[in-house]
Amino acid sequence: MLEKALKGNHGYWIWIAGLLVIITIGIFFYMRQLDYGLGVTGMSRDVSWGLYIAQFTFLVGIAASAVMLVLPYYLHDYKAFGKITVLGEFLAVAAVVMCILFVFVDLGQPARVMNVLLYPQPTSILFWDMVVLSGYLLINIVTGWVILSCTRNEIPPPAWVKPLIYLSIPWAVSIHTVTAFIYAGLPGRDFWLTAIMAPRFLASAFASGPALLIVLCLILKRFGGFDAGAKAIGALAKIVTYALAVSIFLVGVEVFTVFYSGLPEHEASFIYMFAGLHGHHNLAPWMWTSAVLAFAALGALIVPAVRRREGWLALACIAVFISLWIEKGLGLVITGFIPSSLGAVTEYAPTGTEIAIVLGIWSIGFLILTLFYKIFATVRSGLDSTTNGSAANGKC
Amino acid sequence: MTTNRRDFLKIAGASALTLITPSILNPLWAKETVRIPGQDFTPAKALAAKRWAMVVEPAKCPEGCTDCTAACHAVHNVPNFGNPKDEVKWIWTEPFAAVFPGENHRYQGQSLQKMRLPVLCNHCENPPCVRVCPTKATFRRPDGIVMMDYHRCIGCRLCMAGCPYGARSMNYRDPRPFIARFNPDFPTRTKGVVEKCNFCEERLAKGIMPACVLACKEKALTFGDAENSRSEVRLAIDKRFSLPRRAGLGTAPQVYYIL
């Protein structure tokens, strides 16, 4: 099936070549980081995690969101998702690969990464995160690939895939819960020390992931010759709307507890995020952008007529994605360190090297996604034309 | 004598068993003694304790004094990068409001407001850094010292996020060119690993008190066994009001401040 990724038009190859160029640049800058140390990044003694771990946290959510396609189709027999569950699974694969790469480039001693398995520490949430993420990667590669192969050969999927798919549903919830526990269990970080961290992660994941899927489906419809169908897109749009509403609600709940209780250590981080602290306000414009986009997208998405117009829907979904990327991929991780344990406000800004490495990893993710989706679209279009009887020459 | 296959396996099995026996029985009698990593025995002159602890009397600290920092950093080959971003520090001073944010208020006396307190790793009884480390590179010894294995650390910095005291530093770049004078008795670190105060475990093993304690001319730092009611640390805190940092977090720090 892999050979299907090797046939494409000019636009396809230009896109692939572009991604490869960005990946190469990323690798070049990673070599620099490997040589010099993590000092090439904007991370410091006070803000010891930055863009890398923030991307990882955001992408775990994207990976987990595949469950939003699998669950309605396999548990509720929602047929409209039948064609696109594989898209969710392949999106999960690409996202988990990015997650693993982001953790890897964040390590000070990457050559020792296997120490996590050689000397496993069960009390460490990072150890469990490694376990659940690699398991999730495996489950999604296997189910996605097997189902697509069966679709191509027009045979029903083998019986053993079903239990694996059912397992993937709680497993998807687990990857984001465990990731939230990395933050929510640290006694000294008041910004993260909240029991609704995991629910917040899940809510934002189930908004940002399906939002990305909608955009990808619309791209496939225009350039890939595959139409997911208005019903599937409409259902996904509803999922995004509800999840976004829950996500905003949960942030609001957090804000209430923090400010009504008036605990100064809990307030400080929120004040830093939205207003700045001691004259430092690097994040404020970003966080306001995120807030405005979230409310604007919610306002648009709750109107059914807007959800049905593809152009508007795409715009709203892009707004959701950007908003939640800022919230989780920027604000949540960095603000946990501001103010520091000793009350200092040290700001963080990523360096060029860091951004180049981040873009390189995103490009690797998009490359994996493109190849998988290309295979998927080719298999699908071959299938659809066969059933239409127009080009039933067995070549697909 | 001819040996058949069966007898050979019996003898081989029995021999193998004798090899692993000591390691099975060893923990039984090793429980109470202090084991020094990398050494099979405890040297006779080593200082041992059930729980090492430190008492700090910041009121004794002269203004601007950095003797403890200088001594510690020289002994432990701590690099000086000259910028706060990459900074590595084991013991240093902070203002009262930073060390005891929960105990501060607007009308706090000038003497406290202006005071700078020595801060270091608290060698917590319930250390979050040990709990979160994915490779057991940071661990707690039976005598309470929280230690780092610089060769096992993968540099993920979860311990830095976990430490509520800001006691940990990352080597964001190669530290060796930034060490003013090498002390051959203590290892230098490589880039990409986390480090922190080790209560001078390498000196205790040789029977010498921690460098910062000996360097302080004002005797503001006291070191000893918290479990021994006649130790210097216990005598110091028995008489006066003392506070560990952020006790409400449940970490049970073993550095006590007399204010």
Side-chain angles (χ1 to χ4, degrees):
Chain A
M1 235 166 19
L2 276 172
E3 76 284 354
K4 296 195 190 312
L6 298 175
K7 274 185 202 159
N9 57 18
H10 268 290
Y12 175 72
W13 286 113
I14 289 169
W15 169 247
I16 297 279
L19 289 177
L20 286 173
V21 168
I22 303 174
I23 293 169
T24 314
I25 295 171
I27 292 172
F28 171 78
F29 279 101
Y30 181 64
M31 290 302 171
R32 255 197 80 199
Q33 178 185 301
L34 213 51
D35 179 52
Y36 181 94
L38 280 167
V40 295
T41 68
M43 291 185 273
S44 59
R45 193 181 190 278
D46 281 346
V47 184
S48 47
W49 279 342
L51 219 45
Y52 298 151
I53 290 296
Q55 301 310 294
F56 151 74
T57 309
F58 176 73
L59 285 164
V60 172
I62 299 293
S65 69
V67 75
M68 283 289 112
L69 292 174
V70 170
L71 191 146
Y73 179 64
Y74 287 99
L75 293 191
H76 300 282
D77 201 23
Y78 186 71
K79 296 244 166 28
F81 282 169
K83 278 201 286 185
I84 57 170
T85 52
V86 175
L87 290 182
E89 280 152 359
F90 286 155
L91 177 60
V93 170
V96 176
V97 169
M98 283 191 265
C99 288
I100 292 169
L101 287 173
F102 274 118
V103 174
F104 185 77
V105 299
D106 187 65
L107 295 181
Q109 281 288 336
R112 298 179 186 167
V113 65
M114 281 304 151
N115 280 2
V116 181
L117 297 177
L118 288 173
Y119 314 101
Q121 168 65 295
T123 63
S124 173
I125 304 294
L126 201 60
F127 163 72
W128 289 109
D129 216 30
M130 188 166 175
V131 172
V132 291
L133 278 176
S134 33
Y136 194 66
L137 180 63
L138 217 63
I139 290 177
N140 279 289
I141 288 184
V142 171
T143 53
W145 196 256
V146 167
I147 287 176
L148 189 59
S149 311
C150 294
T151 312
R152 181 194 176 203
N153 299 326
E154 294 179 67
I155 51 168
W160 58 264
V161 192
K162 266 285 178 66
L164 212 55
I165 288 169
Y166 290 145
L167 179 67
S168 82
I169 294 169
W171 204 293
V173 178
S174 86
I175 61 167
H176 221 17
T177 306
V178 173
T179 306
F181 284 177
I182 290 180
Y183 301 99
L186 305 177
R189 303 282 170 191
D190 296 302
F191 182 62
W192 295 334
L193 192 67
T194 164
I196 63 162
M197 190 63 94
R200 257 181 75 185
F201 271 28
L202 287 166
S204 70
F206 295 153
S208 56
L212 179 60
L213 262 172
I214 291 175
V215 175
L216 292 172
C217 282
L218 294 178
I219 291 173
L220 277 179
K221 188 178 172 185
R222 180 163 289 192
F223 302 105
F226 166 76
D227 188 2
K231 204 179 167 201
I233 300 275
L236 271 176
K238 271 181 222 158
I239 291 173
V240 174
T241 312
Y242 278 111
L244 180 65
V246 174
S247 178
I248 292 174
F249 169 73
L250 288 178
V251 174
V253 168
E254 185 75 55
V255 167
F256 168 79
T257 304
V258 164
F259 285 100
Y260 192 79
S261 69
L263 295 177
E265 278 151 359
H266 288 257
E267 282 178 336
S269 300
F270 275 94
I271 295 172
Y272 167 73
M273 266 203 301
F274 286 99
L277 209 61
H278 308 322
H280 298 282
H281 32 61
N282 270 1
L283 264 184
W286 290 94
M287 294 316 295
W288 282 110
T289 309
S290 168
V292 168
L293 284 178
F295 280 107
L298 184 66
L301 285 170
I302 48 176
V303 182
V306 176
R307 285 206 303 270
R308 278 194 288 271
R309 305 255 307 261
E310 268 178 20
W312 281 102
L313 179 64
L315 217 59
C317 285
I318 290 168
V320 170
F321 187 82
I322 294 174
S323 166
L324 296 176
W325 178 80
I326 294 173
E327 194 225 343
K328 238 157 77 187
L330 209 57
L332 188 117
V333 172
I334 295 159
T335 314
F337 296 98
I338 304 171
S340 77
S341 310
L342 286 155
V345 178
T346 308
E347 287 211 285
Y348 160 84
T351 59
T353 306
E354 206 172 349
I355 292 170
I357 294 170
V358 167
L359 290 177
I361 294 178
W362 273 96
S363 299
I364 292 175
F366 273 112
L367 183 66
I368 295 171
L369 197 67
T370 307
L371 297 180
F372 274 138
Y373 277 23
K374 172 75 180 151
I375 295 170
F376 170 83
T378 315
V379 168
R380 264 289 160 196
S381 63
L383 206 68
D384 293 343
S385 51
T386 314
T387 43
N388 291 343
S390 55
N393 52 4
K395 182 177 158 242
C396 41
Chain B
M1 182 186 134
T2 53
T3 317
N4 61 23
R5 186 185 157 95
R6 194 185 167 87
D7 286 336
F8 174 75
L9 284 175
K10 268 186 197 163
I11 295 164
S15 322
L17 215 63
T18 61
L19 284 175
I20 59 164
T21 312
S23 64
I24 295 168
L25 296 175
N26 200 27
L28 289 177
W29 68 68
K31 244 175 200 164
E32 280 305 304
T33 59
V34 176
R35 301 271 302 280
I36 292 153
Q39 279 176 278
D40 298 335
F41 61 95
T42 303
K45 56 182 178 176
L47 296 173
K50 277 193 174 156
R51 181 175 300 138
W52 287 115
M54 187 179 278
V55 173
V56 183
E57 292 173 77
K60 288 184 178 173
C61 292
E63 216 179 298
C65 176
T66 54
D67 287 355
C68 54
T69 310
C72 167
H73 288 189
V75 164
H76 296 113
N77 292 322
V78 174
N80 179 12
F81 294 112
N83 71 66
K85 180 182 168 294
D86 297 332
E87 197 175 20
V88 174
K89 44 191 179 184
W90 285 28
I91 179 169
W92 70 102
T93 63
E94 289 281 345
F96 179 80
V99 184
F100 290 104
E103 275 71 39
N104 199 22
H105 60 81
R106 204 184 310 172
Y107 308 112
Q108 192 73 270
Q110 279 296 304
S111 59
L112 274 181
Q113 295 277 23
K114 278 199 260 167
M115 184 184 278
R116 286 191 73 88
L117 294 76
V119 289
L120 63 157
C121 170
N122 284 288
H123 297 274
C124 303
E125 218 181 306
N126 181 20
C129 56
V130 172
R131 200 184 318 153
V132 301
C133 176
T135 61
K136 297 178 186 164
T138 188
F139 56 97
R140 189 174 172 273
R141 291 207 316 201
D143 61 356
I145 299 183
V146 176
M147 298 243 305
M148 278 290 307
D149 183 341
Y150 304 122
H151 294 100
R152 189 182 286 186
C153 174
I154 59 171
C156 71
R157 309 187 298 296
L158 188 50
C159 57
M160 292 175 79
C163 176
Y165 306 102
R168 292 177 160 266
S169 308
M170 166 79 173
N171 284 285
Y172 279 107
R173 53 187 299 194
D174 184 9
R176 283 160 193 149
F178 299 91
I179 299 169
R181 262 188 68 194
F182 282 104
N183 170 20
D185 293 332
F186 196 77
T188 57
R189 272 75 66 196
T190 176
K191 71 180 172 220
V193 298
V194 172
E195 60 180 76
K196 64 166 197 75
C197 156
N198 64 350
F199 260 1
C200 283
E201 58 83 22
E202 82 285 0
R203 290 163 65 95
L204 298 176
K206 291 182 194 157
I208 315 169
M209 288 294 263
C212 56
V213 175
L214 294 186
C216 182
K217 295 182 204 76
E218 315 295 326
K219 306 243 177 298
L221 304 172
T222 313
F223 189 75
D225 186 355
E227 290 287 304
N228 179 351
S229 59
R230 284 170 302 168
S231 71
E232 270 191 80
V233 285
R234 283 290 293 279
L235 293 176
I237 48 180
D238 277 352
K239 282 178 280 178
R240 282 165 293 173
F241 177 68
S242 61
L243 273 178
R245 287 169 67 192
R246 304 182 77 176
L249 298 179
T251 50
Q254 294 305 313
V255 176
Y256 299 87
Y257 290 83
I258 293 176
L259 296 164

